[in-house]
Structure formats: C-alpha cells, structure tokens
Amino acid sequence: MSNILHVNLSSIGYLLDVPSTLSKPSKRWHLAFATIYCSRALHSLLNNPLSKNKSRKLLLSAPPFVVLDVKPQSGVLDIDQTSLTSLVKEKNLDQLIQLRGAEGVAEALKSDTKNGINGAVKDVARRKEEFGSNTYQRPPTKSIFHFVVQAFKDLTILVLLACATLSLGFGIKENGAKEGWYDGGSILVAVFLVIYVSAVSNFRQNRQFDKLSEVNNNIQVDVVRQGRRQQISIFEIVVGDVVFLKIGDQVPADGLFLDGHSLQVDESSMTGESDHVEVNTSLNPFLFSGTKVADGYAQMLVTSVGMNTTWGKMMSTISLDPNEQTPLQARLDKLTSSIGKVGLAVAFLVLVVLLVRYFTGNTEDGNGNHEFNGSKTKTDGIMNAVVRIIAAAVTIVVVAIPEGLPLAVTLTLAYSMKRMMADQAMVRKLSACETMGSATTICTDKTGTLTLNQMKVTKFWLGQESIEDSSSISTNLLKLIQQGVALNTTGSIYREPSLSKFEFSGSPTEKAILSWAVLELGMDMERVKNNYSILHVEAFNSEKKRSGILIRKKAENTIHAHWKGAAEMILAMCSSYYDASGSMKDMDDVDRMTFEQIIQGMAAGSLRCIAFAHRKIPEEEHEFGEDLKKIKEDRLTLIALVGIKDPCRPGVRKAVEDCQYAGVHVKMITGDNVFTARAIATECGILRPDQSINNEAVVEGEVFRKYTPEERMEKVDKICVMARSSPFDKLLMVQCLKQKGHVVAVTGDGTNDSPALKEADIGLSMGIEGTEVAKESSDIIILDDNFASVATVLRWGRCVYNNIQKFIQFQLTVNVAALVINFVAAASAGEVPLTAVQLLWVNLIMDTLGALALATERPTKDLLAKPPVGRTEPLITNTMWRNLLAQALYQVLILLILQFNGESIFGVNKKVKDTLIFNTFVLCQVFNEFNARELERKNVFQGIHKNKLFLGIIGITIILQVVMVECLKRFADTERLDWVQWGACIGVAAASWPIGWVVKFIPVSEKPFLDYLKW
C-alpha cells in the first residue's frame, strides 16, 4: 500500500506540470485528470491508515512541497472573443456553467466582480487590442461629389447647361473659338459656381449632422475600476468592465448579469417584442447591447463590445438622416412652388414676346441692324439667337424660383444648432428648433431643473424631536437607520486607502443620504452589508415614490423589511414609531397629525422630506413559507424623518420671468409634496406670494386625475403647480393643454416621462440626470439640466423663425423686382436688360450670401417682447408685405427709368446703360439687406457691430460686384463705369434706407394680406 501511495504522491509533481505546448481545452482536460488522480490517492490514504513507523518513513521520503513551473501565456486573457460572443448571443447556459458562471468568466478575463478591471492605461489598451473598442463602423459619409451630383439633378440647372452648351457651340461656329465662347462659357462658369456653392453648403451641413450624431451617442456610463466607481464614455468601455445599470439606462455592451435586483429589460430594439424580459443569475443572466433597463438595478460584466455585438453590427448599417424635413421647410416648399409657378408664367410670356419680336424683325444687334432678315439670315445665327432667348427665359425662372429659401432654413437651423450646443442645448430633431419659437406653455420639473440638484440633509427628526447632536441617538435606533441607508440604496461609497476623503455615487438624493449617514452617523457601509443578505428589492420609481428591501441578518437568521421614500407616503404605512430614546410607541391620530405637521413644516422651508420605516418579520411567517418576494407594506414602524435641502439655481427666477414676459406660461410639475412644491414655485417666481394654497393655481396630481374631462379643460390654464404628480398626470396635462390649442414644451428626466415627452410638441430631456429612455423620447437635450437653458432654447426658437422671415422678405423683394423689370422691358423694348450671367450672379449673392448674412443673426431681447407665433399664423405677415412691396416698387421704378431714359440722363450708350441697370440692381439688394435685418424696428443698424459675419458678407459682395463690373467685361457683358456713374448707382441704391424707415410708420391691418384676395 505504501508503495502505491509513494508512487501516487511522486506523480503529482508531474501531473501539475502542464506542458505549455498544449491547447487551452487540452490544458483543462489535463488539470481535470490531475484533480481526479490526486483525490483518489488521498481517498485511498484515508481508507487505509498506515502504521506510525511506515507513515513517518513515507512522509519523510516525500518532499514537503511541490515546485510548480508557471509559464505566462502568449495571450492577455484566458478566453477568446469567439467563445464570449457565442456565449451571450446564443444564451448558452451550459457553456456558462462549464466556465463556472459569470465569476469564472470574470476570472478568465482578469477582472473582479466587485472591483472591476485594473483600469491602468496599458490594461485598457491591451483589452481594446484583443477584444476591440466599443465603437461601430459607420456607413461612409457622403463625399462632396455626391452633393455635386445632387445639384446637377435640378431641372432648371440642366436646362441652363443645355442652353449654355448650345450657345457655346453656335458662338464658336459663328465667331470662332477666340471670340465665340464668351456667351455660352460665361453661363457655364456661372452655373458651375452656383452648383459648387450649393454642394459645399449641403456637404458642410451633412458633416455637422455627423458630429451631432457622435455627440448624441456619447453616453456616460457608471463602471467600477480598481474598486472605484466612476463615469466614463460608452466608447471607452472594454471587455471585463463591471458596469452599473439602473432604470432608464441603455445597456452599453453585451454581457452577463453579476448582481442586482428586480432587473427587467426592454429588448424591443433587438427582438421587436414589447414584453419586458427578467434578467437574473439563474435562468437568464444575458444582457444585450442597445436594450433598455425598464425596472430594477444591476451590475453586469462586459463580454463583447462594438462590432462583436448584434447592436454594433446593426448600427453600422444605419446613418442619421440629415434630410429630415421640418414643418417650416414644408411650408416654404409650398411657397417656393407658388412663386415658381408665377416665375414660370412670366418666363414663358417673356419667351413668347422675344421670339415673336425676333421673327418679326423688331430686334436689333449692337450695330443697329435687324437681327432677322428672313431668308438672308443664316441658320446658325437663328439658332444662336433662339438659344440666347431661351437661356434668358430660363434664367428668369432661376431667379424667380427662391431656391435660397430651403438653403436659408438649413443654414439657420445648422447655425442655431451649433450655437445652442454652446448654450447647453443639444438638438436631436430639427423641427424642435422652430417649434420652440411657437411654444405657449412650458411644463417643467423641479429637481435639478429649477433647483441645483446639490442636495444636503439639513433636518433630522427622531420621533417628534429634532436631533442636532447625533451622538445622543440610542444604539439600536442607530443600527436600524444604518441598515435602512446602507442596504436600501442604489448608491455606493468609495474611499481610497491612502486618503480619508469619501466619494459618493448615485442619484443626488442617494448621495445626500449616504453622505449624512457616513459623516454624521459614522456608518460603515461595507460592515453593514457583510452582516446581512438581501432577499428581495423593490426599486424606486416615480410612480411609487418609495423603495423597499427585504433582508436576512446572517448571525441571527432574522428577516427585516426596510422602506424609504416620500415622507407622507411612508407615514401612511406606519402604525408605530420610535421615539428619540429608541422606544417603540403606537401611533394614534394625534401622533399622526403631529408627524404630518413636522413634514409640512420642513416642506414649507423648501425641504424634500424622506422617511425611513422598518418592520421585523415574525419568525412564524417566514418559517411557514410565506412569500418572501413581497415586502410588507403595512404595520411598519417609523424610524426617522430627514429634510433635504436643494437650493434654487441662481438666475432661474429671471429665466422664468423672461418666459412669462415672452407670453409663455410656466407650469411646475413635481413629485414633491404640495408644501415643498409651493415654496419652490414661489421662490422661482412661478407662483405669486398672494396665490394661496387652496386656490386653483396649486393642485395635487391625484386631484387633477379625478377631475372630469370638462373640469380639467376648464381649470388647466389656471394651474401653475402640480404636486405629488405621477408621469401619467404629466401626460394628462400635456394632452389637455394641446387640446386647448397650446404649443407645449415639457421637461423630463425619468423613463416614465417618456410618454409625456413624446406627446408634447417639444420634449426637453435632462442631459445629466436624464435616463437614456427619456433622452431618446425627447427633441432637445438640456445638457446642464438648467431651466435658464430652456429659456435660451425659447429665444433661439423665435430667432430661427424670425431669421427665416427676414430672408423671405429680402428674397421676395428681389424676385418681384427682377420679374417685373425683365417682363416690362421684354414686352416693350424686346430685350432683357439683365443677361443670363448677370441674373445668375444676382441669384448667387441673393440665395447664398444673403441667406448666410441674414440666417446667422443672434437672438435679441426684443424677440421676447412679442407673443408666441401661432400654429396657423401666415409665414409672410402684413408687416413683411408692406416692407417688401415698398422696396420692390421703388426698385422697379428706378430700373424702368434707367431702361427707357438712362441713355439720355447719363449721356451714355446702350451697353453702359445696361451696366448701370445691373450695378444699381445689385447695390439695391446690398442696401436692402440692412433693411431686412429688422422687420418692425426702424433702427436697422442696432447691434450690427456684433454680427461680424453680416458685415463681412456685405464687404465681400461689394468687392465682387466691383470686380464683375470693372474687370470681367467679357464674362459679365458689362462696361467700366466712372466715379460719377458709381456715385449715382450708390446714391440711388442708398435711398432704400430712408424709404424703409418711412414705410415702417404705415400701420398694417391685423387681417392677413392674402385673405383680402379670397372671394
């Protein structure tokens, strides 16, 4: 027997020396065999005891230790990506059991289920190298060539190109290559310039959307690394990370459930199924990237990231569509279509008139000879003349169609989105930019939006006594409070060994309570957690306004229930209370009333009131198998009350007053009790001090819910504050306001706010405290959670609408003037004073440079002095009609005088006269751009020094116009002008300033102008 045992023991060293050449599966089999072999050897030793002498001899002959030759593996971690991907994707429980569960996978990934990965730069880099980064390949961005091709698809551009090509061909054939290319070549250059500017503008807009998409996807995620809980970008997550999940979070990668309670996941984004899936350790520990946490909280181990997840592969095929059409763009498309039809009719009339005059011999060339002399005229000459006439007609269409309107909207929205980002507001849906300008009501949350969300416990009551010195608390009561705080929380505490400073993580309320318990009550969270095991958890949500936990004390095997939440709700669940000495007392009606007064007193001081309650579960209840998945909600004992101060944000009162000054009603909807809500609302200026709590301005959510539909519709306008509201109450209010014709903006941060955010005209989610579900349901994300940023969004919304109205006024003035002058001149003189190239130049400076100049005006205080723009209010107001018709009439009058009497007035030839008309027309637009800056205010120069871009564009336009007239004689078909002629052009154009000033004294009717044209 001793020989056998000696052989067994001497073989152990060989068995444990695993050859490095073996594959990973072979190594596992080798170790398994060694384990079985050793256990059999030891078993035989126990079953066959040896004599003392033999035993001593045997043990002396065997070495007292075994030397293991441990050799590092070539790979970083002990498991490959393929295994990890298939493990989660196929929900392979058998494979997970073979790997010894999530803990075994964490060990193989050199991670710790409690402390996470090492987190050093080299460690993270190695993991990214071996398993990839948490990013996905995006579809290739559209190149500038794509937008050039899109611009070429415009029908009018194609017709112009055809005309230019024909003109080029006939011109070269008739006059030779040296002289004949000017007409056709000039049009080609002008058309290509228009195409290039349009393509570059759209390309830049597309790039900006890509950048916004990247910012939008950059979610902050809670992870633990080296024992320290911290927030990192979703793109920085690596395989092996331990991630914290809570209600409303997006699961950032594929992984395994480690620990948590009541975790329900919405997998509809992956499977299309709307039912929530329960995730737990035993039956379904698999979590998928892109899904949303619907309830509960958990920690997960990341096993696959980026393109190794199904979500990553799916997202790599999807790109954000920057061509989303907003309501304003849809309205402008109709306007563009209507103006285009008028332009088409005018162009057709001009075409007919010019062709008739040409073929009847009523047109002359530059030398005074008739262009058409019947059969004597060459075919090439006729074709060239016809092509030139068609090109002129098509150019009129180009100028008449306000292609700059969509560009102006795009530029305005793109510019405002960029500026709003700097003002702490990220636009997710373009339409929200302009809709916000029409908002009549803003329904806002309290916590974090009107307040700083920097909470601190300032009041502490035990029984009916306010406690100032925590050292006087009885030991048993102190233990109960510490249990209720340490175990019934989603927050956590981190303390570096070398430092005495604590770091608290979690929601602001949780952090305030944890900070108070640790610093004031001396709570050791780890020690408390080690003494208890958690049986069941009911996570906090905005409907229940409380959270509960069922725990078992390990040493005594006793079960306890703890509740924490809104004070009056917890109080209603209590039948007894602990007094300051730690004695339990029954709660009668007088005591209950006293506690209610304590709660109201704290609430009136703007404090959020939180209560802690406890109940020990009798032994017979859990011994006889009562359901431990339901936490007792009755016959609780009140432990303590705390008051948490959350100060109002600086500047929030002014922001509320700005909104009210702008004609926008601000309503506060909060989960806090009615006294806290009223105190905060008064402090913020939403409520006046004289509005008593009993009037209709303040209402509780439950009361509002119980109103009949008719009562709700009658009272909803008068309500300023809704307290103790649920997400359903918020949704109900939004629906009522919309039915009454309001344009409603709503702020929200929780998952349950999603229906109200979607129902509202503008959904505003919170960037810091908002859940991913709330953000995805919203139109704009307020990055700093500040109500002042909501007021800024309102200003920008009005600015967008106002800037587009300015450009419409400017554009229509040009359109009307150009159409009338060309038609009248063609009908009477048989010629068009503005050539195709000149009209394309006007189109370029008007559409692109004009749009850029007027679309980038920043919001002013005057915008808030106007009432909100109604849903049905016409885009072109009577004020705009008055301004544009006055300017267009002046321009037409001046240009017609120059057309018919310009030669005699200035003593010049026809070519110089045409140049004077072109120059005056362009300069009129330059001066009218200043008039367009203000629709109603007479001083159009106010604040102009702040808009450097506007002044720069005006300067560039003037320089380019000088170059066109003085240097590009052949290209632009112009003649050089002397100083007197330039002075005359500038003087005539500058007269548009005093005309614009005088016209604004003319009152306008409230009835829309176009209504007068209806029968």
Side-chain angles (χ1 to χ4, degrees):
M1 182 67 201
S2 64
N3 292 334
I4 295 170
L5 185 59
H6 182 75
V7 171
N8 287 343
L9 288 171
S10 62
S11 301
I12 290 173
Y14 167 75
L15 288 169
L16 292 176
D17 185 18
V18 182
S20 60
T21 54
L22 290 179
S23 64
K24 286 183 182 178
S26 299
K27 286 178 184 175
R28 290 200 189 100
W29 281 112
H30 189 102
L31 289 170
F33 178 73
T35 305
I36 295 167
Y37 195 91
C38 293
S39 63
R40 289 179 65 186
L42 293 170
H43 185 263
S44 66
L45 177 63
L46 291 169
N47 289 338
N48 301 281
L50 304 170
S51 66
K52 289 182 180 179
N53 293 334
K54 286 182 178 180
S55 176
R56 187 180 294 112
K57 182 181 177 182
L58 176 66
L59 293 173
L60 284 171
S61 65
F65 57 85
V66 176
V67 179
L68 297 178
D69 184 15
V70 181
K71 297 178 182 178
Q73 296 180 18
S74 57
V76 178
L77 307 173
D78 296 340
I79 192 166
D80 59 71
Q81 181 61 66
T82 309
S83 303
L84 287 170
T85 304
S86 63
L87 172 69
V88 177
K89 189 175 180 181
E90 296 169 13
K91 295 191 174 183
N92 194 331
L93 270 174
D94 293 336
Q95 186 185 352
L96 184 61
I97 292 167
Q98 286 175 13
L99 293 169
R100 294 185 294 111
E103 289 76 10
V105 175
E107 191 178 325
L109 290 172
K110 301 288 192 292
S111 181
D112 185 89
T113 56
K114 298 295 181 190
N115 298 321
I117 62 172
N118 174 271
V121 176
K122 287 184 179 178
D123 180 40
V124 172
R126 279 200 301 268
R127 290 172 188 275
K128 283 185 178 179
E129 186 180 346
E130 189 157 338
F131 295 103
S133 63
N134 199 28
T135 54
Y136 46 82
Q137 297 165 0
R138 295 182 178 278
T141 54
K142 294 170 183 173
S143 65
I144 193 165
F145 178 73
H146 168 84
F147 295 102
V148 170
V149 171
Q150 289 296 111
F152 268 109
K153 291 179 181 178
D154 191 317
L155 182 61
T156 52
I157 293 291
L158 291 174
V159 173
L160 270 176
L161 284 172
C163 291
T165 307
L166 289 171
S167 178
L168 188 66
F170 289 126
I172 291 172
K173 188 174 181 182
E174 188 176 350
N175 302 314
K178 192 174 181 181
E179 299 288 332
W181 69 272
Y182 286 119
D183 284 352
S186 300
I187 296 172
L188 277 175
V189 170
V191 168
F192 280 120
L193 191 60
V194 169
I195 287 170
Y196 173 75
V197 169
S198 173
V200 168
S201 172
N202 288 329
F203 175 69
R204 285 171 63 89
Q205 175 212 346
N206 195 67
R207 290 289 296 273
Q208 188 171 342
F209 270 93
D210 285 344
K211 287 179 183 175
L212 279 171
S213 174
E214 195 171 318
V215 172
N216 192 27
N217 293 332
N218 188 12
I219 301 164
Q220 294 298 304
V221 180
D222 274 0
V223 300
V224 60
R225 288 182 175 178
Q226 215 170 5
R228 181 180 183 181
R229 185 165 169 173
Q230 55 193 281
Q231 278 202 337
I232 63 169
S233 165
I234 190 171
F235 303 132
E236 293 301 315
I237 284 177
V238 292
V239 169
D241 261 325
V242 174
V243 178
F244 291 85
L245 300 173
K246 60 182 185 300
I247 294 176
D249 281 354
Q250 176 178 312
V251 178
D254 284 2
L256 297 170
F257 178 92
L258 288 174
D259 188 22
H261 297 279
S262 311
L263 189 66
Q264 297 275 330
V265 177
D266 177 5
E267 294 185 354
S268 58
S269 58
M270 302 291 291
T271 63
E273 296 291 332
S274 58
D275 291 340
H276 295 162
V277 177
E278 185 175 351
V279 180
N280 51 40
T281 311
S282 53
L283 299 175
N284 178 30
F286 306 103
L287 289 154
F288 295 95
S289 177
T291 57
K292 306 290 191 304
V293 178
D295 198 7
Y297 59 88
Q299 290 97 54
M300 68 172 279
L301 175 72
V302 174
T303 57
S304 299
V305 294
M307 292 301 293
N308 293 316
T309 66
T310 308
W311 178 256
K313 289 173 184 172
M314 186 170 70
M315 290 304 290
S316 67
T317 62
I318 299 170
S319 59
L320 183 70
D321 181 18
N323 298 316
E324 169 203 359
Q325 192 176 51
T326 69
L328 186 55
Q329 283 174 324
R331 289 174 75 181
L332 284 175
D333 279 351
K334 289 183 181 178
L335 180 64
T336 303
S337 175
S338 303
I339 296 170
K341 287 173 185 175
V342 174
L344 203 60
V346 171
F348 179 74
L349 287 172
V350 168
L351 178 67
V352 171
V353 168
L354 291 180
L355 286 173
V356 168
R357 288 184 66 91
Y358 175 78
F359 285 111
T360 55
N362 289 322
T363 53
E364 298 175 349
D365 59 19
N367 300 318
N369 301 319
H370 291 289
E371 287 188 339
F372 182 76
N373 291 314
S375 58
K376 295 178 183 178
T377 309
K378 294 179 182 179
T379 306
D380 287 351
I382 294 172
M383 290 300 293
N384 205 15
V386 170
V387 166
R388 193 171 65 249
I389 290 168
I390 292 171
V394 170
T395 309
I396 289 171
V397 175
V398 172
V399 175
I401 295 174
E403 291 158 317
L405 287 181
L407 178 63
V409 176
T410 301
L411 284 171
T412 302
L413 291 173
Y415 175 76
S416 61
M417 283 171 71
K418 189 176 178 181
R419 299 303 309 181
M420 284 166 75
M421 193 76 174
D423 288 341
Q424 303 299 316
M426 187 177 81
V427 178
R428 293 187 72 252
K429 293 181 183 173
L430 272 177
S431 56
C433 270
E434 59 199 45
T435 312
M436 194 67 189
S438 303
T440 58
T441 303
I442 297 174
C443 298
T444 177
D445 288 335
K446 175 188 78 72
T447 305
T449 309
L450 297 172
T451 61
L452 280 170
N453 219 7
Q454 294 173 0
M455 300 191 184
K456 185 180 180 183
V457 174
T458 57
K459 288 283 184 183
F460 173 36
W461 289 74
L462 285 177
Q464 297 171 8
E465 290 182 33
S466 178
I467 304 298
E468 301 296 334
D469 181 13
S470 56
S471 61
S472 61
I473 305 172
S474 65
T475 307
N476 69 316
L477 205 49
L478 188 63
K479 285 181 180 178
L480 283 174
I481 295 170
Q482 290 180 349
Q483 286 171 29
V485 172
L487 302 171
N488 189 11
T489 182
T490 54
S492 62
I493 301 168
Y494 174 76
R495 185 183 186 182
E496 284 191 27
S498 58
L499 300 172
S500 59
K501 190 178 179 183
F502 292 92
E503 286 184 17
F504 301 97
S505 304
S507 71
T509 306
E510 295 283 14
K511 286 195 285 188
I513 293 171
L514 286 174
S515 171
W516 164 73
V518 170
L519 302 177
E520 298 290 330
L521 306 183
M523 181 183 77
D524 184 342
M525 192 168 180
E526 283 303 312
R527 187 173 56 79
V528 176
K529 280 187 169 183
N530 291 335
N531 291 333
Y532 294 87
S533 56
I534 296 171
L535 302 176
H536 184 60
V537 171
E538 283 198 25
F540 178 89
N541 67 39
S542 51
E543 285 185 24
K544 297 182 294 186
K545 303 195 190 307
R546 62 181 185 267
S547 63
I549 192 164
L550 198 65
I551 56 174
R552 185 195 302 274
K553 190 170 184 180
K554 293 175 181 177
E556 301 172 5
N557 198 28
T558 54
I559 293 178
H560 304 260
H562 278 274
W563 284 96
K564 174 183 74 180
E568 66 268 34
M569 294 192 171
I570 298 295
L571 182 64
M573 297 158 64
C574 295
S575 59
S576 57
Y577 69 95
Y578 289 103
D579 65 13
S581 64
S583 304
M584 188 190 294
K585 294 186 175 181
D586 289 333
M587 189 185 296
D588 56 25
D589 292 341
V590 176
D591 292 326
R592 192 174 297 277
M593 191 175 291
T594 304
F595 282 118
E596 286 173 356
Q597 287 170 352
I598 291 169
I599 293 167
Q600 288 175 17
M602 285 197 284
S606 305
L607 300 183
R608 169 176 281 188
C609 307
I610 305 291
F612 295 89
H614 161 263
R615 179 180 171 186
K616 184 177 178 181
I617 308 299
E619 197 171 326
E620 59 271 14
E621 285 189 22
H622 59 86
E623 272 188 359
F624 291 110
E626 284 219 3
D627 185 13
L628 294 178
K629 290 291 179 184
K630 181 164 174 55
I631 306 172
K632 300 293 181 183
E633 298 184 8
D634 58 344
R635 291 182 289 134
L636 303 179
T637 303
L638 183 68
I639 302 172
L641 296 168
V642 294
I644 301 174
K645 181 70 175 174
D646 185 11
C648 280
R649 286 183 178 274
V652 75
R653 189 180 184 93
K654 186 181 182 304
V656 169
E657 287 171 355
D658 285 348
C659 291
Q660 292 168 341
Y661 175 67
V664 178
H665 302 288
V666 180
K667 300 180 187 294
M668 187 177 89
I669 303 176
T670 177
D672 280 337
N673 73 36
V674 71
F675 299 99
T676 307
R678 186 177 184 279
I680 293 288
T682 305
E683 194 176 340
C684 294
I686 294 171
L687 273 181
R688 296 190 309 274
D690 60 319
Q691 288 178 303
S692 74
I693 201 163
N694 297 319
N695 72 3
E696 295 173 335
V698 183
V699 69
E700 285 193 326
E702 189 178 356
V703 176
F704 183 74
R705 208 179 312 143
K706 290 178 180 176
Y707 285 152
T708 63
E710 293 77 20
E711 284 177 321
R712 273 199 294 269
M713 293 296 284
E714 180 191 341
K715 296 180 178 182
V716 71
D717 281 335
K718 300 171 188 174
I719 295 171
C720 297
V721 176
M722 190 194 290
R724 279 289 173 245
S725 66
S726 69
F728 176 75
D729 300 327
K730 185 184 279 191
L731 175 63
L732 204 57
M733 175 166 272
V734 171
Q735 289 170 338
C736 288
L737 288 166
K738 285 183 73 176
Q739 285 171 27
K740 292 206 78 173
H742 289 277
V743 178
V744 187
V746 168
T747 70
D749 55 10
T751 303
N752 292 327
D753 289 329
S754 179
L757 289 168
K758 286 181 177 176
E759 179 70 25
D761 296 286
I762 313 104
L764 304 160
S765 64
M766 300 296 112
I768 299 171
E769 289 302 317
T771 63
E772 288 310 309
V773 174
K775 289 175 188 176
E776 286 198 3
S777 302
S778 66
D779 306 306
I780 297 173
I781 300 174
I782 305 299
L783 298 174
D784 61 354
D785 291 14
N786 192 345
F787 185 81
S789 299
V790 177
T792 303
V793 171
L794 178 69
R795 275 199 297 274
W796 272 110
R798 293 200 178 181
C799 183
V800 166
Y801 198 87
N802 192 247
N803 284 351
I804 290 180
Q805 284 188 316
K806 291 174 185 177
F807 182 72
I808 290 171
Q809 178 183 297
F810 171 68
Q811 173 116 42
L812 291 186
T813 304
V814 185
N815 289 351
V816 171
L819 284 175
V820 171
I821 184 68
N822 271 355
F823 177 70
V824 172
S828 57
E831 62 178 11
V832 180
L834 300 171
T835 66
V837 173
Q838 289 170 356
L839 282 173
L840 283 170
W841 166 241
V842 171
N843 191 61
L844 183 69
I845 64 165
M846 174 183 69
D847 279 2
T848 308
L849 297 179
L852 199 58
L854 294 170
T856 53
E857 288 279 352
R858 298 200 65 175
T860 61
K861 291 181 180 178
D862 292 344
L863 289 173
L864 295 180
K866 301 173 185 176
V869 179
R871 290 178 191 270
T872 56
E873 191 169 316
L875 200 54
I876 308 174
T877 63
N878 286 358
T879 301
M880 291 166 66
W881 280 117
R882 177 196 66 192
N883 296 343
L884 76 88
L885 288 175
Q887 293 293 338
L889 190 63
Y890 170 70
Q891 290 179 21
V892 167
L893 192 64
I894 289 297
L895 295 180
L896 287 177
I897 290 170
L898 289 175
Q899 172 67 21
F900 294 110
N901 298 308
E903 291 176 37
S904 58
I905 292 171
F906 289 97
V908 293
N909 61 26
K910 179 177 177 296
K911 201 76 174 282
V912 175
K913 178 204 73 175
D914 286 346
T915 304
L916 284 168
I917 291 173
F918 168 59
N919 201 33
T920 304
F921 184 60
V922 170
L923 290 175
C924 277
Q925 311 323 318
V926 171
F927 280 94
N928 194 38
E929 245 175 294
F930 287 87
N931 287 327
R933 287 188 71 242
E934 297 292 343
L935 299 178
E936 295 181 31
R937 197 163 55 186
K938 297 177 181 66
N939 181 5
V940 296
F941 304 107
Q942 187 170 332
I944 198 168
H945 61 283
K946 295 178 182 176
N947 195 342
K948 303 289 191 297
L949 185 61
F950 179 88
L951 295 173
I953 287 169
I954 294 293
I956 289 168
T957 306
I958 292 170
I959 291 167
L960 290 175
Q961 179 61 18
V962 171
V963 171
M964 283 283 286
V965 172
E966 298 295 322
C967 306
L968 302 176
K969 179 180 175 183
R970 290 289 182 88
F971 174 77
D973 198 19
T974 56
E975 289 288 332
R976 298 185 73 172
L977 302 178
D978 59 30
W979 287 106
V980 174
Q981 290 161 347
W982 268 103
C985 291
I986 293 169
V988 168
S992 63
W993 283 352
I995 288 169
W997 184 77
V998 170
V999 161
K1000 285 174 183 174
F1001 283 99
I1002 301 171
V1004 292
S1005 168
E1006 292 292 325
K1007 185 179 179 182
F1009 174 73
L1010 292 178
D1011 286 0
Y1012 291 104
L1013 303 179
K1014 295 177 183 177
W1015 292 94

